[in-house]
Amino acid sequence: AARRGEEAVAQAGAAAHRGLVCVSLLAGSLPPVDASAFLSRHARPLFPPVAASSAACSGAPLPLALLRVLLPSLLSRGVEPAAAIQPLIDALHSTSAATPAAATVAASLVLAHPPVALPEVERLLDSPLPTQRANGLTVLASACRLAGRRGLERRGMAGDVLSSLVPRLSDAELSSRALAAGLFDRLEPARVLPAVAPLLTSPLAEARAAAADAMFASLCGGGGAAAAAAVVDTLRDASGAPAGIAAPPRHPGEIGRDASRCGEAGPAQAAPLLAASLSSGSCGGTQQGGLPDDDGGGEGDSGGESGGGGGGGGRGGRLESRLLRVVSRWCAQLDGTGWASALRVVAAKFFASAGERASLRVLRCMLAQAAARPHQREVFVFGFARLRAAAPA
């Protein structure tokens, strides 16, 4: 009896699917305006077979494509959004992998109705089943690709997407961590870096690597100026240093051992002198080259940087070291325009508050890169003006 019941259900599902195929072929044979009017007029009778087919054939894009067309008519006729979106929920919670076509259609539904559909995707990401988590990430990836960075911000989804992705950087599955990290290129660095930075000191090496990849993806997609500003702000907040304008130096030499020579030199000679002063060991806590040693340990490690040149011991020093390594990796792919805009932002922050350690560390890290040499003048513009203003009478 049980077997006969299962066979009857399967036959009913197959019949409903064949009916939907016929309806789709009929609608496809009509002009677009007539097809839309036809589907809208029959939205209510079509909805039950669409829902049944979504549950029975979770990997098939056809039921979800029809649902996307029928939803406006259903909602305009008083159907509750939660009930109208139920076929999508049934399809997402399948234990089989979603096809790319089905994921794309599901993503369009999520973008069209984020208050109802996005929480379901978030719940899917917390599923104990790896396949369901992968389905949720696949749908979220399609939604990010369709909307773009500005589209996510415009729909008010960026914060929810960020909060959904951060836990996946610690996922047990490598494929899930890699997919989640790649999606951060659709989110602003000002959002991503503060949220992901704590994972740089995770005791799990896999989480630290995924966090670095997520930061790198966001920085690459954020543009030079916005990304550089986010790095400085995140590093300052992580160190607990207050933002503000520091008192001007009493003598240009306080900025670096060669700074007094910069004040006396002309524009052509001052740029390399100032860059050498900022990137030298006399300017702060990093080692020569702009990056402190990273012991590679997690939050519980006690060795490594605590005895080093000034990265600070413990968790804060490790976070700073690893964040600056991400910055070096990001700098390696900057083009000329990106270098110029990034250096201008960091230099403006440093010379506006020369006593602030975060902007100094980022500026030294960037100037230590060989690719920064053609753009040293961007730093000189701010530094030479500051040195002249601070020169002794």
Side-chain angles (χ1 to χ4, degrees):
R3 187 179 297 111
R4 285 197 298 271
E6 293 176 358
E7 292 175 354
V9 170
Q11 290 174 359
H17 189 71
R18 286 194 297 271
L20 294 180
V21 171
C22 294
V23 169
S24 301
L25 292 174
L26 176 60
S29 65
L30 299 174
V33 176
D34 295 338
S36 178
F38 167 75
L39 293 174
S40 177
R41 187 166 59 251
H42 297 90
R44 278 192 176 277
L46 282 174
F47 181 69
V50 166
S53 185
S54 297
C57 309
S58 57
L62 176 61
L64 294 180
L66 285 172
L67 179 63
R68 181 174 59 178
V69 177
L70 298 178
L71 264 179
S73 298
L74 292 171
L75 296 176
S76 65
R77 286 171 168 80
V79 177
E80 290 294 327
I85 213 78
Q86 188 61 44
L88 170 63
I89 298 171
D90 295 337
L92 290 179
H93 283 271
S94 169
T95 55
S96 59
T99 63
T104 301
V105 176
S108 66
L109 289 171
V110 171
L111 294 174
H113 307 279
V116 179
L118 188 57
E120 294 299 330
V121 177
E122 294 171 350
R123 279 192 281 274
L124 203 64
L125 293 175
D126 293 329
S127 169
L129 300 177
T131 304
Q132 290 189 342
R133 294 199 303 272
N135 284 348
L137 280 173
T138 302
V139 172
L140 206 55
S142 297
C144 290
R145 186 184 67 252
L146 291 174
R149 180 173 295 199
R150 293 182 179 178
L152 291 176
E153 293 285 348
R154 186 172 62 252
R155 290 176 172 87
M157 295 174 57
D160 292 331
V161 170
L162 175 63
S163 61
S164 300
L165 288 177
V166 170
R168 302 279 65 79
L169 297 176
S170 303
D171 197 283
E173 298 290 329
L174 172 61
S175 58
S176 295
R177 294 196 303 272
L179 180 56
L183 295 183
F184 282 87
D185 68 342
R186 302 291 177 165
L187 299 172
E188 295 292 340
R191 287 182 180 270
V192 171
L193 267 62
V196 177
L199 286 177
L200 291 178
T201 57
S202 169
L204 300 175
E206 297 86 352
R208 297 197 300 269
D213 289 342
M215 288 182 162
F216 174 71
S218 181
L219 290 174
C220 291
V231 169
V232 173
D233 293 343
T234 301
L235 193 58
R236 183 191 62 233
D237 294 343
S239 65
I245 305 300
R250 289 168 296 178
H251 187 273
E254 288 188 2
I255 296 179
R257 64 188 178 203
D258 297 323
S260 58
R261 294 166 56 199
C262 295
E264 299 169 358
Q269 296 79 24
L273 285 174
L274 182 59
S277 174
L278 288 171
S279 60
S280 68
S282 65
C283 289
T286 54
Q287 300 174 6
Q288 186 69 20
L291 287 175
D293 286 338
D294 186 4
D295 64 313
E299 187 174 349
D301 297 334
S302 58
E305 298 160 28
S306 58
R315 183 174 184 271
R318 286 189 291 272
L319 190 152
E320 182 177 291
S321 169
R322 291 161 186 164
L323 178 56
L324 290 178
R325 289 178 183 276
V326 175
V327 172
S328 295
R329 182 180 167 194
W330 166 62
C331 289
Q333 56 80 50
L334 284 176
D335 57 11
T337 303
W339 264 111
S341 59
L343 279 177
R344 277 197 294 267
V345 168
V346 179
K349 283 180 172 286
F350 171 65
F351 287 109
S353 180
E356 184 186 82
R357 184 169 175 268
S359 55
L360 170 63
R361 296 275 277 177
V362 176
L363 187 57
R364 287 182 58 200
C365 176
M366 296 182 70
L367 290 174
Q369 313 299 316
R373 291 173 186 168
H375 310 285
Q376 290 175 350
R377 187 175 180 83
E378 303 294 340
V379 180
F380 159 71
V381 169
F382 295 94
F384 194 69
R386 179 66 182 263
L387 293 171
R388 280 186 178 276

